[in-house]
Amino acid sequence: MSRRTPSVDSILEMQRDGIGAIADITSRFDDADWQSPSPCEGWTALDLAGHVLAVTGNWHDALDDAEAGASTPRFGWDFMSARNAATLAALPTDSGSNRISSFVQRAEEWLDRFERLDPGLPLPVAVQDIAAVPITVGLFGWVAAGEWYVHAWDFGQVTGEEYRAPHAGSLYNAMQVVYGLTPREGDPWEHALRTSGRRPTV
């Protein structure tokens, strides 16, 4: 396992793969699909679309704080579930496709900002509470690609589509570095999904 954070270009590729996968999978959803349950307990696919959009707002907040020199996140890991619920409830009523369109736009804007920053800049984010190493902009961009990869898998499960992340090995490597996981043999995508609380049948 390499502990070296990949290049910015490699991280951007991972991030855009995940963003594109979410957009592609959900482009085939009909009204019934959006109201169907997702693998995220208590959330429909429409709720999940709202969640990924809300997450981009949290990520922009973190970059704002990093640029301002803040050393602590706006909220801790223990508050993550409540934060997710609050941001989801605050979203306007909208269609799933509109939420995904807004998500893609906000995620790409975040990547534009990410690309301009020093990857070694400390980033005040909630995941720091459970991380085994200090979180920097670059390290967060690497491991956080998993947010989009895993949710692409979630969206695929709504219609029985089996999504597989193209850079699963790099993602699981990032998880090992950030969370201090013991390396495991076998399929890195399965390990990444299970680390994220999913129950794949692969």
Side-chain angles (χ1 to χ4, degrees), residues 18 21-23 25-26 29 38-40 43 45 47-49 51-53 55 59 84 100 103 144-158 163 171 189 193 196 198:
I22 289 174
I25 292 168
T26 58
F29 279 16
S38 77
C40 300
W43 283 358
D47 294 330
L48 184 54
H51 170 68
V52 295
L53 172 57
V55 166
W59 290 13
N84 286 339
I100 294 299
F103 152 70
E147 181 82 14
W148 311 146
Y149 280 166
V150 171
H151 285 320
W153 182 87
D154 290 333
F155 280 119
Q157 295 299 296
V158 171
Y163 170 75
L171 171 60
W189 181 228
L193 287 172
S196 302
R198 304 312 191 267

Side-chain angles (χ1 to χ4, degrees), residues 92-170:
T93 301
D94 207 348
S95 69
S97 58
N98 283 348
R99 286 182 172 185
I100 294 299
S101 178
S102 297
F103 152 70
V104 171
Q105 179 180 343
R106 291 289 284 158
E108 284 290 349
E109 289 169 353
W110 189 87
L111 290 181
D112 288 343
R113 296 181 67 189
F114 168 84
E115 190 173 12
R116 295 193 298 268
L117 289 176
D118 176 1
L121 182 69
L123 187 70
V125 285
V127 72
Q128 184 64 71
D129 291 349
I130 61 170
V133 293
I135 300 298
T136 61
V137 167
L139 189 55
F140 180 78
W142 184 25
V143 75
E147 181 82 14
W148 311 146
Y149 280 166
V150 171
H151 285 320
W153 182 87
D154 290 333
F155 280 119
Q157 295 299 296
V158 171
T159 57
E161 183 173 344
E162 198 62 46
Y163 170 75
R164 182 180 177 85
H167 298 286
S170 184

